[in-house]
Amino acid sequence: MAALNTSFAGQRLNKAAARKVSAKVTTRAVKPVTRAQAVAAPADVSSETVMDCVNTIRFLAIDAINKSNSGHPGLPMGCAPMGYVIYREAMTHNPKNYQWFNRDRFVLSAGHGCMLQYSLMHLTGYPSVSNDDLKNFRQWDSVTPGHPENFITNGIEVTTGPLGMGICNAVGLAMAEKHLAGRFNKPDCEIVDHYTYAIMGDGCNMEGMSGEGASLAAHWGLGKLIAFYDDNSISIDGHTDISFTEDVCARYEAYGWHVQHVQDGNTDLDAIRDAINKAKADPRPSLIKVTTLIGYGSPNKSNSHDVHGAPLGADETKATRENLGWKYEPFEVPEDVSKYMDCSEKGAAAEAAWNKKFAEYKEKYPEDYAELNSIITGELPAGWADALPEFTPEDAGVATRIHSQTMLNALGSAIPGFIGGSADLAPSNMTLMKQFGDFQKDTPAERNVRYGVREHGMGAIANGIALHSPGFKSYCATFFIFSDYMRSAMRIAALSGAPTLFVMTHDSIGVGEDGPTHQPIEHLASFRAMPGMLMMRPADGNETAGAYQIGVEQTDRPTTFALSRQVVPNLAGTSREGVRKGAYVVAGPAAGEDCDCIIIGTGTELELAVNAAKELGAKARAVSMPCWELFEEQSDEYKASILPKGVPTVSIEAGSTFGWSKYADISIGRDDFGASAPAGILYKEFGITTEAAVKAAKSLM
Amino acid sequence: MAALNTSFAGQRLNKAAARKVSAKVTTRAVKPVTRAQAVAAPADVSSETVMDCVNTIRFLAIDAINKSNSGHPGLPMGCAPMGYVIYREAMTHNPKNYQWFNRDRFVLSAGHGCMLQYSLMHLTGYPSVSNDDLKNFRQWDSVTPGHPENFITNGIEVTTGPLGMGICNAVGLAMAEKHLAGRFNKPDCEIVDHYTYAIMGDGCNMEGMSGEGASLAAHWGLGKLIAFYDDNSISIDGHTDISFTEDVCARYEAYGWHVQHVQDGNTDLDAIRDAINKAKADPRPSLIKVTTLIGYGSPNKSNSHDVHGAPLGADETKATRENLGWKYEPFEVPEDVSKYMDCSEKGAAAEAAWNKKFAEYKEKYPEDYAELNSIITGELPAGWADALPEFTPEDAGVATRIHSQTMLNALGSAIPGFIGGSADLAPSNMTLMKQFGDFQKDTPAERNVRYGVREHGMGAIANGIALHSPGFKSYCATFFIFSDYMRSAMRIAALSGAPTLFVMTHDSIGVGEDGPTHQPIEHLASFRAMPGMLMMRPADGNETAGAYQIGVEQTDRPTTFALSRQVVPNLAGTSREGVRKGAYVVAGPAAGEDCDCIIIGTGTELELAVNAAKELGAKARAVSMPCWELFEEQSDEYKASILPKGVPTVSIEAGSTFGWSKYADISIGRDDFGASAPAGILYKEFGITTEAAVKAAKSLM
């Protein structure tokens, strides 16, 4: 780890003196800030203006948080210098087109400090964050919520707040860049070429998931990932000494990162610039630990937990203004700051240059262009869904995880942005695309991702890929039980509209011998209850095809596939179109026809439901219900035609019956944990059988 | 990191030669294996017998997995040497009393290798694992399930399988030991003094949660935690090179661990012994990386994924027998092995010596004895529940997280084993016990635990504490939303019967400005669906007291408390006894009396339910339902007296309505994500109001 020695005089200042010293910054030689150039101190403005920019960022945060009487001023005040260097000097972005493909990405992993980002976006010229929006911080219907939300604020890349998540999203964004660069760049045309910046706090680094992402980032050689660690030694419980005494930098070196330390992140902008330049020069992902004072500038609250998550208040704001020599009104942006911070012109020029390059690329490499453009725009190749096969009852029965493999392989060939892998369970999840190799440090153009045993990191990385460009179809896989390890990433996918595909195999007690630590019970219910998540449990080949088709079509919500370990037959009556309705009739009286009882099954238990209906006679209906969410979206008429009120209804599903009372009079399932034994024995012992369904239906008739 | 240099000749053997070489081990000087002594090569048996012990472990695993046609032979075959040294030589344990308090603890964090542990338990004399039990591996109703389950097999400490979980449990066990030792040991009487051993695999070390536990273990100075890292470079996807190239040992050094490397874990028992001795001599937690060959002994499958999770099969078993020179029948234990491995006598003597010491302790330190004995036996002090206060409507309303603080403080004084803390949210979760200081490296007798921002590790550590001794009442806390980070640990608590107390504050959209990343929606439903978990959502002071009383009474299931950020009044009609029933009447017609409608509320919405019932007239009943699980355990008569069939029923709860159709005709709640705005505005905008409940009830009447 290199501790930076910078030439900036007086970098270890006390708080009160710091503001004045900024005027002494030595102006460097003129270097135009363009992509190919190093980050450098600006030549075209005074260092005083630069420090005014930094303090504007601080005071916009202070003012907005005071006005909303809620928020976290400590991080924006401490991180304003690095934020300034990143957004104004280092990043290539076009505020007037937040969707420009080749923009540098920024992730505030310490999401509670979002006023830093809102201030930076406002100052650099994002129309999405006006001065009025800053005044509406954390208010109903505002675009400046309490944590950064990509689905609310144009220009926010991912949704952060849960700590450790953002840095893993950033790993996904950087991985997506490396993949596309490796796949599409040509010796004469580097069409994909951007950096991913992130700011982490102590909390992010305490979370285990950040370690998962960091380990993969180094393994993959994500040299264009530059993560700042805001090392302020304060967390909510107080000084980090009480729970966090490891050597974080040494840990990142153990992962294989390039690690630097900026000793005075409060005032030493040159050291931050130098660190970014060195980070760019190193082929490894870079951690720049920046030691800051939380709440920098506040004479009585800085360096304490008091400034972490509560407004400064009138008195301390006054004292901070005096301390930093801030003479402007609340929410006022000095004119020179406003002018100098605006990146619109620079950004538009950068995008225009890239657009020109992309036009040349189209000319020279039309096939690559078509693929890359599909990823950039999200427009899938015409007829992609035709790649999904159809099945008849004559086709050999296989586990739905095997069907899933068929779909993944078909979609991998049909859709340019299809990419993904498993958390070290590829041979069990059946997730390898046979036509591709592994995405690795030296083979970045490949599309099978080896996530290792890192479910939580995997989920967040997969979300980052999905949100990099709309044409990415990013899947990730593990046993369904281990959704418990990655639930927060799955929820953030649902909240933030990341259309990630979560491939969850071994979806019930059908797991068998591995026992109750590996057998999902309540998991279907728990995801059905989660807003914004399509929870799919297909029963056979046609339903697996339908589930994947729908999952791929989604542009703003994720899909979870619950897939079986055990073999299922291809049933008569199942269809892709049926899946689209969420629930539909597969045997017995058709929709709208009279029936005297209904047996609903899902996934591996649809076969039992069909058999039960057959036993119950010609007026018994078997309904497949692969997706509750889609069923709820149907018209009342459709719903009533499938599950009419007053008809005795039984559900059968190898999982918790929780929630089924909405549709069924009697629910057959398993509300206690599973056990270690062959799957067939478990089904029998737990009473999840055709006979049980028949008996239940008869008891209602 | 010290690479061990051992004197053992021939430690780098090829597989085929290894068996024979064991005969060349130089016998060491006689050292009785007693607690105070170092682990040493045994003097009273031949080195051939020792190697027979190791191979017996290997072949019992091979045979059981072959017989069940399912399981993971690779780890037991590779880890048999370290397993032998740990169970036979290093550990102080009494197989005939698996509950002996001062036993060394062992955790197989790589739980899929459980046949290693079953073999070791069988051979060292645990009555719980007979030879027949080995033959019933992974079968219905056997005591040898597919992963180690403490609730099935006497002598298993914790339930493992989900990777990374076990090492965190082990941190909890070691932390519990350090706490008790610091609190109860006297200069003349070290009554608490045991080690905690664990075996991790590559998978455990890829999981972020293991890093959380490891960081805390070093921070706390858990010098009696000795973790073996079975470094075999193979995981399910193949060679670990494809996803795991970090320097694990350097990472543990960065956490602050003492790190060693045994280069030949296949045959070099002396190196393992030496490493344990050095680990014991070092005040830090120790990682012993042991390089092994997965499936050691199998000529064609070792060092490959093929041996990880599938039976060897007849042919390869034969080849392995030949390779290792194994001449015994399947499941046969050579007589000298059987005799030599049995630790019953040694263990009984150790326990007897300790019992004598404890009797002396009782004599000399009666008060300390009473506290420690309560922790050892789980017998709580008489009248402990009297410490919980009662409330009347005249008492000032506060948030239920504040009531929770009152209960935690009361219980901390009343119950010797009450211990816990928060994942860096103590001032928000309100979890500090004011009468105690922080459990830290140098103040281990204290009882406030500072977990840092490490929810998953925290949950597993808290489970470890809970399972160390039945008198521990181990609580841990975070925002309810971050239960998503620790869900697997909470589920393992439920499965394994750890009566951990999960204190989850900020339990709804009532969080307000922090927004949807911080607002639980589906979480109540998701835990109600989880088997074995008591999900409590108390409404005020009396209900919080009742919830804690019930939570503390549990001996074999965990409790989750959902607690409010916002203020609630103390309501008329609430009671501790009511909570015990799960649901009960708080206003309107009493249980069994006629009513014309029912409004069910929980937690912060009980007030709205009561107000709605009042508006609806004298025949409207308000029911509080703090715990679905307890309600379901009541008699049918009781249930019908509270929620009679046919009476229009409305539920109101600030969360997902998922599952409520079981009890209510109309459910008022929030099925989409929350938003960032003041809480009061969210309630209004989302329609979670008294008016909505009144309107809904009227629509049904």
Side-chain angles (χ1 to χ4, degrees):
Chain A
M1 189 188 74
L4 290 185
N5 294 315
T6 72
S7 58
F8 180 30
Q11 63 179 291
R12 293 180 173 284
L13 303 170
N14 66 47
K15 289 173 281 174
R19 174 64 185 78
K20 292 176 200 155
V21 171
S22 66
K24 294 180 198 161
V25 173
T26 308
T27 305
R28 296 231 167 160
V30 178
K31 287 186 188 175
V33 180
T34 67
R35 179 153 212 84
Q37 298 293 329
V39 179
D44 50 348
V45 288
S46 70
S47 56
E48 199 155 23
T49 297
V50 169
M51 205 41 92
D52 274 356
C53 292
V54 171
N55 280 329
T56 304
I57 297 162
R58 290 188 173 121
F59 279 98
L60 286 178
I62 291 169
D63 296 340
I65 293 163
N66 277 340
K67 182 157 189 302
S68 77
N69 199 25
S70 161
H72 300 75
L75 184 144
M77 293 167 75
C79 290
M82 69 179 99
Y84 159 78
V85 174
I86 295 169
Y87 257 79
R88 174 59 186 82
E89 298 184 10
M91 272 171 70
T92 302
H93 56 136
N94 182 5
K96 296 299 182 283
N97 179 10
Y98 71 94
Q99 292 171 309
W100 172 36
F101 165 74
N102 201 43
R103 69 193 180 275
D104 287 344
R105 269 68 169 176
F106 174 80
V107 174
L108 185 65
S109 190
H112 53 277
C114 56
M115 264 313 303
L116 173 72
Q117 196 171 3
Y118 299 147
S119 298
L120 288 166
M121 290 173 69
H122 173 60
L123 293 172
T124 53
Y126 281 78
S128 51
V129 184
S130 69
N131 202 289
D132 277 349
D133 293 325
L134 298 179
K135 289 175 185 160
N136 275 322
F137 181 53
R138 292 183 157 228
Q139 301 310 302
W140 176 254
D141 221 14
S142 83
V143 297
T144 45
H147 290 81
E149 295 171 0
N150 62 311
F151 56 99
I152 294 285
T153 316
N154 292 341
I156 299 283
E157 302 287 352
V158 296
T159 295
T160 57
L163 296 175
M165 189 75 71
I167 183 65
C168 292
N169 295 154
V171 171
L173 292 168
M175 184 273 201
E177 193 275 344
K178 178 160 180 145
H179 168 69
L180 295 178
R183 189 165 153 197
F184 293 107
N185 283 355
K186 307 293 175 186
D188 66 343
C189 193
E190 298 226 337
I191 198 66
V192 184
D193 171 30
H194 73 75
Y195 285 89
T196 301
Y197 295 90
I199 295 179
M200 288 187 275
D202 287 303
C204 291
N205 277 317
M206 288 192 243
E207 290 287 3
M209 78 178 302
S210 65
E212 297 179 4
S215 182
L216 281 171
H219 175 75
W220 289 335
L222 304 182
K224 288 159 92 174
L225 174 62
I226 301 176
F228 291 81
Y229 164 26
D230 174 31
D231 165 47
N232 64 31
S233 300
I234 297 293
S235 65
I236 292 177
D237 271 13
H239 197 281
T240 50
D241 275 359
I242 66 173
S243 64
F244 190 46
T245 48
E246 62 174 69
D247 183 339
V248 175
C249 287
R251 175 153 64 83
Y252 274 79
E253 289 188 326
Y255 294 131
W257 284 52
H258 170 236
V259 176
Q260 302 176 80
H261 183 193
V262 171
Q263 306 215 7
D264 172 16
N266 302 314
T267 62
D268 192 353
L269 302 186
D270 270 352
I272 296 168
R273 293 174 182 126
D274 285 353
I276 293 175
N277 290 331
K278 286 181 179 141
K280 289 185 172 183
D282 195 284
R284 296 168 290 177
S286 277
L287 183 77
I288 303 174
K289 174 165 125 170
V290 185
T291 298
T292 69
L293 210 61
I294 190 172
Y296 177 86
S298 159
N300 304 303
K301 291 189 172 180
S302 67
N303 201 29
S304 83
H305 157 247
D306 297 336
V307 78
H308 167 83
L312 278 194
D315 291 349
E316 190 61 13
T317 300
K318 185 159 175 280
T320 305
R321 287 170 168 278
E322 282 165 14
N323 189 34
L324 293 180
W326 194 247
K327 61 197 174 193
Y328 303 97
E329 294 298 304
F331 293 103
E332 182 178 350
V333 178
E335 209 181 309
D336 59 336
V337 168
S338 179
K339 196 175 155 197
Y340 175 64
M341 284 291 285
D342 193 332
C343 294
S344 303
E345 203 175 319
K346 190 171 70 165
E351 181 175 354
W354 184 86
N355 285 338
K356 188 161 168 282
K357 202 194 263 191
F358 198 37
E360 289 163 16
Y361 189 90
K362 180 178 182 182
E363 199 72 19
K364 286 189 194 167
Y365 310 104
E367 285 175 22
D368 286 316
Y369 170 86
E371 288 213 348
L372 177 55
N373 199 49
S374 164
I375 294 172
I376 291 175
T377 62
E379 280 173 35
L380 302 185
W384 65 269
D386 300 341
L388 299 170
E390 303 227 355
F391 299 84
T392 70
E394 287 68 44
D395 291 314
V398 296
T400 52
R401 64 175 165 147
I402 307 289
H403 287 304
S404 165
Q405 184 183 35
T406 302
M407 307 311 153
L408 291 170
N409 276 267
L411 294 167
S413 294
I415 297 175
F418 213 80
I419 185 168
S422 159
D424 194 49
L425 287 170
S428 296
N429 298 144
M430 308 306 296
T431 45
L432 280 187
M433 295 181 285
K434 293 169 186 171
Q435 64 273 46
F436 303 124
D438 288 350
F439 172 86
Q440 293 285 359
K441 187 188 287 191
D442 299 322
T443 53
E446 299 293 344
R447 283 151 71 181
N448 283 306
V449 187
R450 303 289 194 164
Y451 281 108
V453 192
R454 304 180 181 97
E455 295 83 7
H456 205 178
M458 172 176 73
I461 292 169
N463 292 342
I465 297 169
L467 291 172
H468 181 279
S469 294
F472 270 122
K473 297 295 170 182
S474 167
Y475 70 92
C476 64
T478 184
F479 290 156
F480 194 25
I481 191 81
F482 299 134
S483 62
D484 285 345
Y485 272 56
M486 56 190 289
R487 192 172 171 86
S488 186
M490 295 172 79
R491 187 179 205 264
I492 289 286
L495 174 63
S496 66
T500 314
L501 306 171
F502 296 99
V503 179
M504 302 281 126
T505 73
H506 296 62
D507 72 345
S508 75
I509 54 163
V511 166
E513 291 90 343
D514 271 346
T517 56
H518 283 57
Q519 292 166 355
I521 295 289
E522 72 279 18
H523 298 74
L524 289 167
S526 79
F527 286 106
R528 287 171 182 152
M530 183 181 280
M533 175 66 78
L534 284 184
M535 177 69 246
M536 295 275 192
R537 190 167 190 247
D540 65 1
N542 287 330
E543 288 202 355
T544 306
Y548 269 96
Q549 182 173 354
I550 293 161
V552 168
E553 286 168 2
Q554 303 305 308
T555 57
D556 63 356
R557 61 177 164 178
T559 305
T560 297
F561 306 94
L563 301 159
S564 76
R565 178 188 183 214
Q566 69 269 40
V567 172
V568 288
N570 286 296
L571 296 164
T574 60
S575 71
R576 278 202 238 172
E577 299 67 38
V579 177
R580 197 174 289 282
K581 299 287 193 184
Y584 65 109
V585 177
V586 292
E593 287 180 9
D594 256 13
C595 58
D596 64 7
C597 70
I598 298 170
I599 316 289
I600 314 175
T602 81
T604 39
E605 287 71 64
L606 180 59
E607 183 189 8
L608 308 184
V610 169
N611 291 344
K614 278 183 193 151
E615 266 194 52
L616 286 159
K619 295 200 73 180
R621 169 183 294 166
V623 167
S624 178
M625 194 164 187
C627 184
W628 290 27
E629 295 81 9
L630 292 176
F631 183 65
E632 287 299 327
E633 290 172 7
Q634 305 308 312
S635 67
D636 288 344
E637 292 69 27
Y638 180 80
K639 286 191 265 189
S641 76
I642 305 297
L643 301 178
K645 285 213 168 137
V647 178
T649 302
V650 173
S651 68
I652 182 164
E653 181 174 75
S656 170
T657 63
F658 193 90
W660 273 108
S661 54
K662 184 167 188 178
Y663 304 115
D665 302 298
I666 295 179
S667 299
I668 296 168
R670 175 70 182 168
D671 289 319
D672 201 348
F673 292 104
S676 173
I681 292 175
L682 294 180
Y683 270 82
K684 205 174 148 188
E685 292 285 347
F686 297 155
I688 303 170
T689 61
T690 300
E691 297 70 47
V694 169
K695 192 175 160 195
K698 286 184 176 165
S699 78
L700 293 167
M701 289 159 75
Chain B
M1 190 187 71
L4 289 185
N5 295 315
T6 73
S7 58
F8 180 28
Q11 60 178 296
R12 292 177 174 284
L13 303 171
N14 66 48
K15 291 173 281 175
R19 173 62 185 78
K20 294 174 200 158
V21 171
S22 67
K24 295 182 196 158
V25 172
T26 310
T27 304
R28 296 228 164 166
V30 179
K31 286 187 186 171
V33 181
T34 65
R35 177 152 216 85
Q37 296 293 329
V39 180
D44 50 350
V45 288
S46 71
S47 54
E48 201 155 23
T49 297
V50 169
M51 205 41 91
D52 275 355
C53 293
V54 171
N55 281 328
T56 304
I57 297 162
R58 290 188 173 120
F59 279 97
L60 286 177
I62 292 169
D63 296 339
I65 292 163
N66 278 339
K67 183 159 191 301
S68 75
N69 199 26
S70 162
H72 300 75
L75 185 146
M77 293 167 75
C79 291
M82 69 179 100
Y84 159 79
V85 175
I86 295 169
Y87 256 79
R88 173 58 185 84
E89 299 184 6
M91 273 173 66
T92 303
H93 56 135
N94 183 5
K96 296 299 181 284
N97 179 10
Y98 70 94
Q99 293 173 308
W100 172 36
F101 164 75
N102 201 43
R103 69 192 180 278
D104 286 344
R105 268 69 169 177
F106 174 80
V107 174
L108 185 64
S109 190
H112 53 277
C114 57
M115 265 312 305
L116 173 74
Q117 196 171 5
Y118 299 148
S119 298
L120 288 165
M121 290 173 68
H122 173 61
L123 293 172
T124 54
Y126 282 78
S128 50
V129 185
S130 69
N131 202 289
D132 278 349
D133 293 324
L134 298 180
K135 291 173 184 161
N136 276 320
F137 179 54
R138 291 183 157 228
Q139 301 310 303
W140 177 255
D141 222 14
S142 83
V143 297
T144 45
H147 289 82
E149 295 171 359
N150 62 311
F151 56 100
I152 293 285
T153 316
N154 292 339
I156 299 283
E157 302 287 351
V158 296
T159 295
T160 57
L163 296 174
M165 190 76 71
I167 183 64
C168 292
N169 295 153
V171 170
L173 292 167
M175 183 274 201
E177 193 273 347
K178 178 158 180 149
H179 168 68
L180 294 178
R183 187 165 154 196
F184 292 108
N185 282 356
K186 308 292 177 187
D188 65 344
C189 192
E190 297 224 339
I191 198 65
V192 185
D193 173 28
H194 74 76
Y195 286 89
T196 301
Y197 295 90
I199 295 179
M200 287 187 274
D202 286 304
C204 292
N205 278 318
M206 286 191 244
E207 290 286 4
M209 77 179 302
S210 65
E212 296 178 3
S215 182
L216 280 171
H219 175 75
W220 289 335
L222 303 182
K224 289 160 93 174
L225 173 62
I226 301 177
F228 291 80
Y229 163 28
D230 173 30
D231 165 46
N232 63 31
S233 300
I234 298 292
S235 66
I236 291 177
D237 271 12
H239 197 282
T240 50
D241 274 359
I242 66 172
S243 63
F244 191 44
T245 48
E246 61 172 70
D247 182 341
V248 175
C249 287
R251 174 155 63 86
Y252 274 80
E253 289 187 327
Y255 294 131
W257 284 51
H258 169 235
V259 176
Q260 301 175 81
H261 183 194
V262 172
Q263 307 215 7
D264 171 16
N266 301 314
T267 63
D268 191 354
L269 302 185
D270 270 353
I272 297 169
R273 293 174 182 124
D274 285 353
I276 294 175
N277 289 332
K278 285 181 179 142
K280 289 185 173 182
D282 195 284
R284 295 167 292 177
S286 277
L287 182 78
I288 303 174
K289 174 166 125 168
V290 185
T291 298
T292 69
L293 210 59
I294 190 170
Y296 178 85
S298 160
N300 304 303
K301 292 191 171 179
S302 68
N303 200 29
S304 83
H305 157 246
D306 296 338
V307 78
H308 167 83
L312 278 195
D315 291 349
E316 189 62 15
T317 300
K318 186 162 175 277
T320 306
R321 287 170 170 279
E322 282 165 13
N323 188 33
L324 293 180
W326 195 246
K327 61 197 176 191
Y328 303 96
E329 294 298 305
F331 294 102
E332 184 178 348
V333 177
E335 208 181 307
D336 57 337
V337 168
S338 178
K339 195 174 155 197
Y340 174 64
M341 282 293 285
D342 193 332
C343 294
S344 301
E345 204 175 317
K346 192 171 69 164
E351 180 174 353
W354 184 86
N355 285 338
K356 187 162 169 279
K357 202 194 260 190
F358 198 38
E360 289 164 16
Y361 189 92
K362 179 179 182 179
E363 199 72 19
K364 283 188 193 167
Y365 309 104
E367 286 175 21
D368 286 316
Y369 169 86
E371 288 213 348
L372 177 56
N373 199 49
S374 163
I375 293 171
I376 291 174
T377 62
E379 281 173 33
L380 303 185
W384 64 269
D386 301 340
L388 299 171
E390 304 227 356
F391 297 83
T392 68
E394 285 69 44
D395 290 315
V398 296
T400 52
R401 64 177 166 146
I402 307 290
H403 286 305
S404 165
Q405 183 183 36
T406 302
M407 306 312 152
L408 291 169
N409 276 268
L411 293 166
S413 294
I415 297 175
F418 212 81
I419 185 169
S422 160
D424 193 50
L425 288 170
S428 295
N429 299 144
M430 308 306 295
T431 45
L432 280 186
M433 295 182 286
K434 293 171 185 168
Q435 65 273 45
F436 302 124
D438 287 350
F439 172 85
Q440 294 285 358
K441 188 187 285 191
D442 299 322
T443 53
E446 300 292 344
R447 285 153 69 183
N448 284 307
V449 186
R450 302 288 193 165
Y451 281 108
V453 191
R454 304 181 181 93
E455 296 82 6
H456 205 177
M458 172 177 73
I461 292 169
N463 291 343
I465 297 169
L467 291 172
H468 181 280
S469 293
F472 270 121
K473 297 296 170 182
S474 168
Y475 70 92
C476 64
T478 184
F479 290 156
F480 194 25
I481 191 80
F482 298 134
S483 62
D484 285 343
Y485 272 55
M486 55 189 291
R487 191 169 172 89
S488 186
M490 295 171 79
R491 188 178 204 262
I492 289 286
L495 174 63
S496 66
T500 313
L501 306 171
F502 295 99
V503 179
M504 301 282 127
T505 72
H506 297 59
D507 72 346
S508 76
I509 53 163
V511 164
E513 290 89 344
D514 271 345
T517 56
H518 284 58
Q519 291 166 356
I521 294 288
E522 72 280 18
H523 299 73
L524 290 165
S526 79
F527 287 106
R528 286 171 184 151
M530 183 181 280
M533 174 66 77
L534 285 183
M535 178 68 248
M536 294 275 192
R537 190 166 190 246
D540 65 0
N542 286 331
E543 287 201 357
T544 306
Y548 269 98
Q549 182 173 353
I550 292 161
V552 167
E553 285 168 3
Q554 303 305 308
T555 58
D556 63 358
R557 62 176 162 177
T559 305
T560 297
F561 305 95
L563 302 159
S564 75
R565 176 187 185 217
Q566 69 267 44
V567 172
V568 286
N570 285 296
L571 296 163
T574 61
S575 72
R576 277 202 241 176
E577 299 67 37
V579 176
R580 196 172 290 281
K581 299 287 193 183
Y584 65 108
V585 178
V586 292
E593 286 180 7
D594 256 12
C595 56
D596 62 9
C597 70
I598 298 170
I599 317 290
I600 314 175
T602 81
T604 39
E605 288 70 65
L606 180 58
E607 183 189 8
L608 308 184
V610 169
N611 290 343
K614 277 185 194 150
E615 264 191 54
L616 286 158
K619 294 198 76 182
R621 170 184 293 168
V623 167
S624 177
M625 194 164 188
C627 184
W628 289 28
E629 295 82 8
L630 292 176
F631 183 65
E632 287 299 326
E633 290 171 9
Q634 305 308 310
S635 67
D636 289 343
E637 292 69 28
Y638 180 80
K639 286 191 263 190
S641 77
I642 303 298
L643 300 178
K645 286 214 168 134
V647 178
T649 301
V650 172
S651 69
I652 182 163
E653 181 174 76
S656 170
T657 62
F658 194 89
W660 273 108
S661 55
K662 183 166 190 179
Y663 304 116
D665 302 296
I666 296 178
S667 299
I668 296 167
R670 175 71 183 166
D671 289 318
D672 200 347
F673 291 103
S676 172
I681 291 175
L682 295 180
Y683 270 83
K684 206 175 151 190
E685 292 285 346
F686 296 156
I688 303 171
T689 60
T690 299
E691 296 70 46
V694 169
K695 192 176 160 196
K698 285 184 176 166
S699 78
L700 294 166
M701 287 159 74

